Amino acid sequence: MKRLLGRLWLPALLHTLLVACSAMPAAITGDAADAYAMNREAEAAHQEGDDVKSERLLQGLLRVAPNDAETWFRLANLYARSDRPEQAAEAYQRSLMIKPHDARAWHNLGVIRQRQAVAAMMQAHSLAADDEALRSKAAKVLQLLEQAQGTQGSAKP
């Protein structure tokens, strides 16, 4: 009896492994199909101006494929359009960690950071009423930043 059981466990194990392996491609294909559908839905929501739905779908895509630079880039653009510069900068940086030579992401991150710098200098200028030297420095930096923005034309992320 021991000998019979000893000979039966190996075929049973092989059968179990083969069944498990044959099921894997279907699961992988299903995930890919779901991701493709989510991507299409996110693009459609973006085209319709439904940023809430688009954001939810892009975040879902990132749960499935967290190392997709393009999805991080698209999410960053959504955040930039929604006036959420901190989240936009973080998402651009995530995109750049995956795809460090993406000029678009570097450009858009620069635009976001420049806008943040303008806002910070405007705040410094308005709060430096009692410190004429600091107020003057902030005004000069603000002028340079605004000139630089003017030379960018319509650089919008």
Side-chain angles (χ1 to χ4, degrees), residues 21-51:
C21 288
S22 68
M24 284 176 57
I28 292 170
T29 303
D31 287 347
D34 290 346
Y36 181 73
M38 286 174 70
N39 191 34
R40 280 195 334 244
E41 284 184 58
E43 184 60 32
H46 168 72
Q47 294 297 326
E48 295 167 6
D50 189 346
D51 284 348

Side-chain angles (χ1 to χ4, degrees), residues 42-87:
E43 184 60 32
H46 168 72
Q47 294 297 326
E48 295 167 6
D50 189 346
D51 284 348
V52 172
K53 182 177 180 181
S54 182
E55 179 180 0
R56 182 176 46 80
L57 289 164
L58 290 171
Q59 289 173 342
L61 277 169
L62 288 170
R63 282 190 291 279
V64 173
N67 293 324
D68 183 35
E70 190 62 25
T71 303
W72 281 110
F73 179 78
R74 290 171 56 204
L75 185 61
N77 285 345
L78 184 144
Y79 289 148
R81 283 191 314 274
S82 303
D83 197 29
R84 294 185 273 173
E86 292 299 325
Q87 289 174 291

